[in-house]
Amino acid sequence: MSTALKIDFVSDVSCPWCVVGLYGLTRALDVLRDEVRAEIRFQPFELNPKMGPDGQNITEHITEKYGSTPEQSQQNREMIRARGAEVGFAFRTDGNSRIYNTFDAHRLLFWAGLEGLQLQLKEALFKAYFSDGGNPSDHTQLAQIAESVGLDRLRAEGILNSDEFTQEVRAEEQLWLSRGVNSVPTVVFNGQYAVTGGQPVDSFVTAIRQIMAKGGTVN
């Protein structure tokens, strides 16, 4: 017998700790594959909803937003790079990287959820931005990424060139904000138990087992 587990993964595609958290979670689920049947749904969160179309230099942005020095930003990137390596993800951002608006990426993720390819698109968006230096607000790049995971490119282009799924994504964003989510990643299990931050594999394994012990739907 295994426990059915519904997971809402609230995150942004330009959040490095969301990458660490996702890979920590999926590896934990692999460890628990005989105990848990998990369904992951990615929920939208924008770290920089007012970011302009050209984006902003990452060091400049972090300095303005958090007051970090360039040296502190570099140290943080090195820490993130090490954490990513632990779970098999290659971060290649540097002081010349840029932060972009991610709303259109979230619209594509909403559509991908309807097509059963949300996880694949999420991982591809992470790789395109953090490993390949891509722009998650560029429509041509987004359409290419969608196609690369098996989604229809013409349909992706149609979504990007319209306001389709705008209302749905805005509603989901507001829902999670209303539930008190103000940082990402926030991973919510069975709509009740939240784990925040880019936790390592062992922490997710422990958290999931504790949640299972509190009761779940066993089939």
Side-chain angles (χ1 to χ4, degrees), residues 97-119:
S97 299
R98 298 187 73 77
I99 293 284
Y100 296 97
N101 185 287
T102 57
F103 185 72
D104 285 338
H106 286 298
R107 290 199 295 131
L108 281 191
L109 280 164
F110 185 93
W111 166 56
L114 303 177
E115 300 293 327
L117 290 169
Q118 202 178 40
L119 174 60

Side-chain angles (χ1 to χ4, degrees), residues 174-193:
Q174 290 304 311
L175 173 64
W176 292 101
L177 287 171
S178 73
R179 292 180 177 177
V181 174
N182 53 27
S183 64
V184 287
T186 294
V187 189
V188 181
F189 298 90
N190 288 345
Q192 301 180 65
Y193 309 103

Side-chain angles (χ1 to χ4, degrees), residues 156-173:
E157 290 173 344
I159 293 167
L160 292 167
N161 292 323
S162 70
D163 63 356
E164 193 169 359
F165 303 126
T166 291
Q167 291 184 353
E168 290 87 343
V169 172
R170 293 292 187 211
E172 287 188 339
E173 287 179 330

Side-chain angles (χ1 to χ4, degrees), residues 28-212:
L29 292 172
D30 187 55
V31 170
L32 299 170
R33 60 185 176 274
D34 294 330
E35 303 171 51
V36 174
R37 290 178 293 103
E39 174 191 350
I40 302 176
R41 168 73 184 175
F42 292 99
Q43 304 290 356
F45 188 99
E46 291 179 83
L47 288 169
N48 304 289
K50 297 181 180 180
M51 182 64 67
D54 295 327
Q56 185 181 19
N57 172 270
I58 191 169
T59 303
E60 176 185 309
H61 177 76
I62 296 299
T63 298
E64 288 182 5
K65 190 171 184 178
Y66 302 108
S68 302
T69 65
E71 292 75 20
Q72 289 171 327
S73 295
Q74 174 63 24
Q75 290 172 358
N76 191 48
R77 283 193 297 274
E78 291 174 357
M79 178 173 60
I80 289 169
R81 190 174 292 115
R83 289 290 306 279
E86 291 174 3
V87 290
F89 187 89
F91 284 101
R92 298 194 179 95
T93 53
D94 58 32
N96 294 316
S97 299
R98 298 187 73 77
I99 293 284
Y100 296 97
N101 185 287
T102 57
F103 185 72
D104 285 338
H106 286 298
R107 290 199 295 131
L108 281 191
L109 280 164
F110 185 93
W111 166 56
L114 303 177
E115 300 293 327
L117 290 169
Q118 202 178 40
L119 174 60
Q120 292 86 338
L121 181 60
K122 186 74 166 184
E123 291 181 332
L125 287 166
F126 278 152
K127 180 178 181 296
Y129 177 59
F130 288 109
S131 299
D132 302 335
N135 177 353
S137 68
D138 180 86
H139 285 188
T140 299
Q141 292 184 38
L142 286 173
Q144 290 172 343
I145 295 166
E147 184 179 34
S148 75
V149 300
L151 290 162
D152 183 85
R153 178 169 182 149
L154 290 178
R155 179 77 175 98
E157 290 173 344
I159 293 167
L160 292 167
N161 292 323
S162 70
D163 63 356
E164 193 169 359
F165 303 126
T166 291
Q167 291 184 353
E168 290 87 343
V169 172
R170 293 292 187 211
E172 287 188 339
E173 287 179 330
Q174 290 304 311
L175 173 64
W176 292 101
L177 287 171
S178 73
R179 292 180 177 177
V181 174
N182 53 27
S183 64
V184 287
T186 294
V187 189
V188 181
F189 298 90
N190 288 345
Q192 301 180 65
Y193 309 103
V195 175
T196 60
Q199 299 296 331
V201 177
D202 289 347
S203 294
F204 274 118
V205 169
T206 298
I208 291 170
R209 283 186 168 146
Q210 289 174 344
I211 290 164
M212 290 163 58

